[in-house]
Amino acid sequence: MAHQASSSGSSAGSDRPATHAPKILDGKSLARAVARTTAARVTELRNKIGRAPGLAVILVGENPASKTYVASKHKFAKECGLETFDSHLPATATASDLRKVIESYNANDAVDGILLQLPLPKPLDGLEFVRLISPDKDADGLHPANQGLLLQGTPAPRPCTPLGVMVMLDLALSDLTVTDSTTLAEIPQASLAGKSAVVIGRSQLVGKPMGFLLLERNATVTFAHSKTTDLPAVCRAADIVVAAVGVPRLVKRDWVKPGAIVLDVGINRLPDGKLCGDVDYADVAPVSSAITPVPGGVGPMTVAMLISNTAENCARRNGVSL
Ligand code: NAP
């Protein structure tokens, strides 16, 4: 994992003057840095256990967005040298069909990570099936046992999207410029002691684990949601704002403290087909010290952390320390 280092010379959230151009946190180049580290770990694992880590991806139905996500996860996994397994079930698949596929991957020793692409077609309940995945093969970090371990601060697969956001936050707080040779290990793990963070959204997939990862790093965390009173004022108090809402361009300039770091998890499709985040990027970027674009921000990092999680699962399952 990223080594501990002080972020001397870097400014943390509100310390950075608002008049500076914001640091644009490019998820694509950062994902390449994660890929370089994962590929090296895959080579090490091959040498030590005689095989590459295996990722099984399960897709149910024909949701076009899900198909695109699955294709990009496969491509990224292949590029990092993983072995991939693929199951595409029809939208008419029954609970029993899906259970059998998950159980077969649970029993397959060549599989270290199982990803069930969500959402599932109705009436299948995604989180009910995530519970059937062996916790030590949970690539997404969403199994209740792993979420419990997150609360305890015990090593276990962490949810990919919040994990990716944490790396982006580390980059925001460092002076590092990502190049074609940067690896994950070069990104110093920032101390968030004394920083206040607001997470907008409290879903099991993103908002809640996001808040606990920030807390684990000593940030003072506020969870905001649809029942929060005066959300703009709550956000304005924060050095770090993470938006995981699903409402296009909800977060405006006057919600953000000058110099704050803004991390946008939202992926929303507009009527014209274009994608946008939960943050009004053009409005907010000038007052932030660092900000993620959508697309090309948190999305690529989610994929990268899924593949990284699978390599880490493989190491943990085989008693190898990377
Ligand atoms: P979700 O399960 O629908 O949760 C949304 C959360 O936002 C809920 O906690 C909800 O509050 C809160 N919320 C909704 N409207 C709000 C408002 N007007 N003001 C304040 N809070 C509000 O969504 P999710 O799965 O967490 O995903 C959130 C967004 O991230 C979506 O756009 C999704 O597509 C995107 N996403 C992106 C990635 C990625 O890789 N970049 C990964 C996963 C998700 P209540 O709890 O009170 O209802």
Side-chain angles (χ1 to χ4, degrees):
M1 253 302 163
H3 54 265
Q4 295 283 350
S6 78
S7 53
S8 59
S10 65
S11 51
S14 57
D15 302 337
R16 195 183 284 255
T19 48
H20 283 199
K23 191 169 185 175
I24 309 302
L25 303 167
D26 173 9
K28 287 186 191 160
S29 62
L30 195 52
R32 302 311 319 155
V34 177
R36 279 184 280 279
T37 297
T38 305
R41 289 176 175 169
V42 168
T43 303
E44 195 180 334
L45 281 162
R46 254 187 202 286
N47 292 338
K48 288 186 172 160
I49 65 166
R51 66 169 179 86
L55 172 69
V57 180
I58 307 170
L59 172 67
V60 186
E62 305 298 329
N63 179 318
S66 292
K67 281 170 122 172
T68 307
Y69 292 139
V70 162
S72 67
K73 286 165 186 172
H74 261 292
K75 186 164 175 277
F76 202 95
K78 285 274 178 214
E79 282 169 13
C80 293
L82 274 78
E83 188 177 353
T84 56
F85 301 80
D86 190 15
S87 289
H88 187 176
L89 279 69
T92 52
T94 63
S96 162
D97 297 334
L98 181 53
R99 194 176 306 115
K100 276 183 200 150
V101 172
I102 294 172
E103 282 167 0
S104 76
Y105 286 135
N106 281 344
N108 185 342
D109 259 349
V111 172
D112 303 286
I114 302 173
L115 167 82
L116 177 60
Q117 184 64 45
L118 303 178
L120 296 179
K122 287 191 168 75
L124 302 175
D125 170 4
L127 292 178
E128 184 189 319
F129 287 92
V130 165
R131 281 187 210 113
L132 300 180
I133 294 172
S134 223
D136 66 339
K137 296 190 177 191
D138 177 19
D140 245 343
L142 297 179
H143 190 283
N146 291 326
Q147 296 215 319
L149 292 170
L150 167 62
L151 258 63
Q152 292 184 344
T154 305
R158 301 293 196 225
C160 305
T161 301
L163 205 52
V165 171
M166 292 306 290
V167 180
M168 302 191 95
L169 182 55
D170 287 335
L171 180 64
L173 290 166
S174 85
D175 288 330
L176 186 83
T177 301
V178 176
T179 68
D180 286 349
S181 61
T182 304
T183 63
L184 184 58
E186 290 168 43
I187 301 166
Q189 219 173 67
S191 165
L192 303 182
K195 304 274 169 274
S196 58
V198 166
V199 181
I200 320 173
R202 55 175 166 177
S203 71
Q204 192 177 330
L205 266 63
V206 189
K208 281 181 188 152
M210 185 74 248
F212 281 97
L213 287 182
L214 289 161
L215 185 65
E216 200 170 60
R217 291 270 209 93
N218 298 320
T220 302
V221 181
T222 302
F223 288 96
H225 44 78
S226 68
K227 309 292 186 288
T228 298
T229 304
D230 200 354
L231 184 56
V234 171
C235 288
R236 259 193 311 275
D239 301 313
I240 299 159
V241 176
V242 183
V245 191
V247 176
R249 297 178 182 141
L250 176 74
V251 178
K252 302 292 183 196
R253 185 188 187 110
D254 64 348
W255 293 34
V256 174
K257 172 156 80 174
I261 296 168
V262 180
L263 303 144
D264 190 354
V265 177
I267 301 179
N268 308 292
R269 195 162 291 279
L270 297 169
D272 65 4
K274 291 191 178 141
L275 293 179
C276 80
D278 293 339
V279 174
D280 189 333
Y281 183 89
D283 198 34
V284 169
V287 292
S288 68
S289 62
I291 188 164
T292 56
V294 177
V298 174
M301 283 301 289
T302 296
V303 177
M305 299 322 289
L306 175 86
I307 309 309
S308 168
N309 269 356
T310 302
E312 286 192 6
N313 285 357
C314 178
R316 209 178 286 116
R317 295 179 65 244
N318 288 280
V320 174
S321 69
L322 292 175

